[in-house]
PDB file of all heavy atoms in Angstrom:
ATOM      1  N   HIS A  23       6.064  10.933  -5.240  1.00  0.00           N
ATOM      2  CA  HIS A  23       7.506  10.796  -5.072  1.00  0.00           C
ATOM      3  C   HIS A  23       7.964   9.412  -5.559  1.00  0.00           C
ATOM      4  O   HIS A  23       7.182   8.455  -5.538  1.00  0.00           O
ATOM      5  CB  HIS A  23       7.901  11.010  -3.599  1.00  0.00           C
ATOM      6  CG  HIS A  23       9.367  11.133  -3.411  1.00  0.00           C
ATOM      7  ND1 HIS A  23      10.170  10.055  -3.125  1.00  0.00           N
ATOM      8  CD2 HIS A  23      10.202  12.208  -3.530  1.00  0.00           C
ATOM      9  CE1 HIS A  23      11.430  10.477  -3.044  1.00  0.00           C
ATOM     10  NE2 HIS A  23      11.492  11.779  -3.275  1.00  0.00           N
ATOM     11  N   TYR A  25       9.490   7.246  -4.131  1.00  0.00           N
ATOM     12  CA  TYR A  25       9.420   6.202  -3.105  1.00  0.00           C
ATOM     13  C   TYR A  25       7.983   5.736  -2.833  1.00  0.00           C
ATOM     14  O   TYR A  25       7.755   4.908  -1.933  1.00  0.00           O
ATOM     15  CB  TYR A  25       9.989   6.738  -1.777  1.00  0.00           C
ATOM     16  CG  TYR A  25      11.464   7.090  -1.785  1.00  0.00           C
ATOM     17  CD1 TYR A  25      11.975   7.993  -0.835  1.00  0.00           C
ATOM     18  CD2 TYR A  25      12.350   6.535  -2.675  1.00  0.00           C
ATOM     19  CE1 TYR A  25      13.331   8.311  -0.792  1.00  0.00           C
ATOM     20  CE2 TYR A  25      13.711   6.862  -2.645  1.00  0.00           C
ATOM     21  CZ  TYR A  25      14.190   7.745  -1.696  1.00  0.00           C
ATOM     22  OH  TYR A  25      15.518   8.074  -1.651  1.00  0.00           O
ATOM     23  N   ASP A  39      11.564  13.199  -8.057  1.00  0.00           N
ATOM     24  CA  ASP A  39      12.196  13.500  -6.758  1.00  0.00           C
ATOM     25  C   ASP A  39      11.639  14.842  -6.270  1.00  0.00           C
ATOM     26  O   ASP A  39      10.857  15.499  -6.966  1.00  0.00           O
ATOM     27  CB  ASP A  39      13.716  13.487  -6.865  1.00  0.00           C
ATOM     28  CG  ASP A  39      14.286  14.574  -7.771  1.00  0.00           C
ATOM     29  OD1 ASP A  39      13.583  15.557  -8.069  1.00  0.00           O
ATOM     30  OD2 ASP A  39      15.447  14.439  -8.181  1.00  0.00           O
ATOM     31  N   SER A  40      12.032  15.235  -5.069  1.00  0.00           N
ATOM     32  CA  SER A  40      11.376  16.410  -4.495  1.00  0.00           C
ATOM     33  C   SER A  40      11.733  17.675  -5.278  1.00  0.00           C
ATOM     34  O   SER A  40      10.915  18.588  -5.352  1.00  0.00           O
ATOM     35  CB  SER A  40      11.716  16.557  -3.019  1.00  0.00           C
ATOM     36  OG  SER A  40      13.083  16.624  -2.854  1.00  0.00           O
ATOM     37  N   PHE A  62       6.838  17.164   4.497  1.00  0.00           N
ATOM     38  CA  PHE A  62       7.690  18.313   4.118  1.00  0.00           C
ATOM     39  C   PHE A  62       7.603  18.575   2.613  1.00  0.00           C
ATOM     40  O   PHE A  62       7.785  19.702   2.160  1.00  0.00           O
ATOM     41  CB  PHE A  62       9.153  18.120   4.589  1.00  0.00           C
ATOM     42  CG  PHE A  62       9.951  17.134   3.763  1.00  0.00           C
ATOM     43  CD1 PHE A  62      10.528  17.495   2.558  1.00  0.00           C
ATOM     44  CD2 PHE A  62      10.150  15.841   4.213  1.00  0.00           C
ATOM     45  CE1 PHE A  62      11.273  16.586   1.810  1.00  0.00           C
ATOM     46  CE2 PHE A  62      10.905  14.932   3.479  1.00  0.00           C
ATOM     47  CZ  PHE A  62      11.449  15.308   2.279  1.00  0.00           C
ATOM     48  N   MET A  63       7.351  17.531   1.833  1.00  0.00           N
ATOM     49  CA  MET A  63       7.267  17.710   0.378  1.00  0.00           C
ATOM     50  C   MET A  63       5.991  18.462   0.004  1.00  0.00           C
ATOM     51  O   MET A  63       6.005  19.345  -0.881  1.00  0.00           O
ATOM     52  CB  MET A  63       7.271  16.342  -0.310  1.00  0.00           C
ATOM     53  CG  MET A  63       8.549  15.563  -0.088  1.00  0.00           C
ATOM     54  SD  MET A  63       8.441  13.946  -0.854  1.00  0.00           S
ATOM     55  CE  MET A  63      10.039  13.287  -0.382  1.00  0.00           C
ATOM     56  N   TYR A 111      18.747  20.732   4.048  1.00  0.00           N
ATOM     57  CA  TYR A 111      18.340  19.662   3.119  1.00  0.00           C
ATOM     58  C   TYR A 111      16.837  19.831   2.928  1.00  0.00           C
ATOM     59  O   TYR A 111      16.121  20.279   3.825  1.00  0.00           O
ATOM     60  CB  TYR A 111      18.660  18.332   3.797  1.00  0.00           C
ATOM     61  CG  TYR A 111      18.511  17.083   2.974  1.00  0.00           C
ATOM     62  CD1 TYR A 111      18.602  17.077   1.585  1.00  0.00           C
ATOM     63  CD2 TYR A 111      18.329  15.847   3.620  1.00  0.00           C
ATOM     64  CE1 TYR A 111      18.491  15.890   0.875  1.00  0.00           C
ATOM     65  CE2 TYR A 111      18.215  14.663   2.903  1.00  0.00           C
ATOM     66  CZ  TYR A 111      18.284  14.706   1.524  1.00  0.00           C
ATOM     67  OH  TYR A 111      18.162  13.529   0.818  1.00  0.00           O
ATOM     68  N   VAL A 112      16.328  19.462   1.764  1.00  0.00           N
ATOM     69  CA  VAL A 112      14.899  19.631   1.486  1.00  0.00           C
ATOM     70  C   VAL A 112      14.057  18.844   2.508  1.00  0.00           C
ATOM     71  O   VAL A 112      12.923  19.225   2.817  1.00  0.00           O
ATOM     72  CB  VAL A 112      14.616  19.243   0.015  1.00  0.00           C
ATOM     73  CG1 VAL A 112      14.780  17.746  -0.210  1.00  0.00           C
ATOM     74  CG2 VAL A 112      13.275  19.727  -0.446  1.00  0.00           C
ATOM     75  N   ASN A 113      14.633  17.797   3.093  1.00  0.00           N
ATOM     76  CA  ASN A 113      13.929  17.009   4.136  1.00  0.00           C
ATOM     77  C   ASN A 113      13.912  17.772   5.456  1.00  0.00           C
ATOM     78  O   ASN A 113      14.547  17.363   6.438  1.00  0.00           O
ATOM     79  CB  ASN A 113      14.630  15.675   4.377  1.00  0.00           C
ATOM     80  CG  ASN A 113      14.668  14.792   3.147  1.00  0.00           C
ATOM     81  OD1 ASN A 113      14.873  15.278   2.047  1.00  0.00           O
ATOM     82  ND2 ASN A 113      14.505  13.504   3.336  1.00  0.00           N
ATOM     83  N   THR A 127      18.884  19.599  -2.380  1.00  0.00           N
ATOM     84  CA  THR A 127      18.424  18.206  -2.395  1.00  0.00           C
ATOM     85  C   THR A 127      19.683  17.330  -2.484  1.00  0.00           C
ATOM     86  O   THR A 127      20.789  17.841  -2.692  1.00  0.00           O
ATOM     87  CB  THR A 127      17.539  17.893  -3.615  1.00  0.00           C
ATOM     88  OG1 THR A 127      18.356  17.996  -4.784  1.00  0.00           O
ATOM     89  CG2 THR A 127      16.371  18.836  -3.717  1.00  0.00           C
ATOM     90  N   SER A 128      19.473  16.011  -2.401  1.00  0.00           N
ATOM     91  CA  SER A 128      20.642  15.120  -2.530  1.00  0.00           C
ATOM     92  C   SER A 128      21.263  15.271  -3.919  1.00  0.00           C
ATOM     93  O   SER A 128      22.453  15.081  -4.103  1.00  0.00           O
ATOM     94  CB  SER A 128      20.210  13.677  -2.295  1.00  0.00           C
ATOM     95  OG  SER A 128      19.104  13.379  -3.096  1.00  0.00           O
ATOM     96  N   HIS A 196      22.310   5.800  -2.216  1.00  0.00           N
ATOM     97  CA  HIS A 196      21.908   7.164  -1.921  1.00  0.00           C
ATOM     98  C   HIS A 196      22.894   7.759  -0.902  1.00  0.00           C
ATOM     99  O   HIS A 196      23.376   7.028  -0.028  1.00  0.00           O
ATOM    100  CB  HIS A 196      20.483   7.132  -1.311  1.00  0.00           C
ATOM    101  CG  HIS A 196      19.822   8.456  -1.310  1.00  0.00           C
ATOM    102  ND1 HIS A 196      19.991   9.369  -0.294  1.00  0.00           N
ATOM    103  CD2 HIS A 196      18.996   9.035  -2.214  1.00  0.00           C
ATOM    104  CE1 HIS A 196      19.295  10.445  -0.578  1.00  0.00           C
ATOM    105  NE2 HIS A 196      18.668  10.275  -1.735  1.00  0.00           N
ATOM    106  N   GLY A 212      21.388  10.832  -5.891  1.00  0.00           N
ATOM    107  CA  GLY A 212      19.997  11.012  -5.487  1.00  0.00           C
ATOM    108  C   GLY A 212      19.111  10.183  -6.436  1.00  0.00           C
ATOM    109  O   GLY A 212      19.607   9.613  -7.424  1.00  0.00           O
ATOM    110  N   THR A 213      17.820  10.137  -6.146  1.00  0.00           N
ATOM    111  CA  THR A 213      16.967   9.227  -6.923  1.00  0.00           C
ATOM    112  C   THR A 213      16.899   9.605  -8.416  1.00  0.00           C
ATOM    113  O   THR A 213      16.872   8.720  -9.276  1.00  0.00           O
ATOM    114  CB  THR A 213      15.535   9.150  -6.344  1.00  0.00           C
ATOM    115  OG1 THR A 213      14.959  10.453  -6.334  1.00  0.00           O
ATOM    116  CG2 THR A 213      15.543   8.574  -4.963  1.00  0.00           C
TER     117      THR A 213
HETATM  118  O1  CIZ B   1      15.058  14.758  -2.848  1.00  0.00           O
HETATM  119  C1  CIZ B   1      14.326  13.800  -2.730  1.00  0.00           C
HETATM  120  O2  CIZ B   1      13.323  13.621  -3.366  1.00  0.00           O
HETATM  121  C2  CIZ B   1      14.680  12.735  -1.762  1.00  0.00           C
HETATM  122  C3  CIZ B   1      14.101  12.823  -0.438  1.00  0.00           C
HETATM  123  C4  CIZ B   1      15.475  11.782  -2.164  1.00  0.00           C
HETATM  124  C5  CIZ B   1      16.081  11.779  -3.511  1.00  0.00           C
HETATM  125  O3  CIZ B   1      17.281  11.516  -3.599  1.00  0.00           O
HETATM  126  O4  CIZ B   1      15.421  12.041  -4.498  1.00  0.00           O
END
Side-chain angles (χ1 to χ4, degrees):
H23 191 267
Y25 296 158
D39 65 18
S40 57
F62 75 81
M63 297 177 181
Y111 188 25
V112 69
N113 299 39
T127 66
S128 51
H196 196 274
T213 58

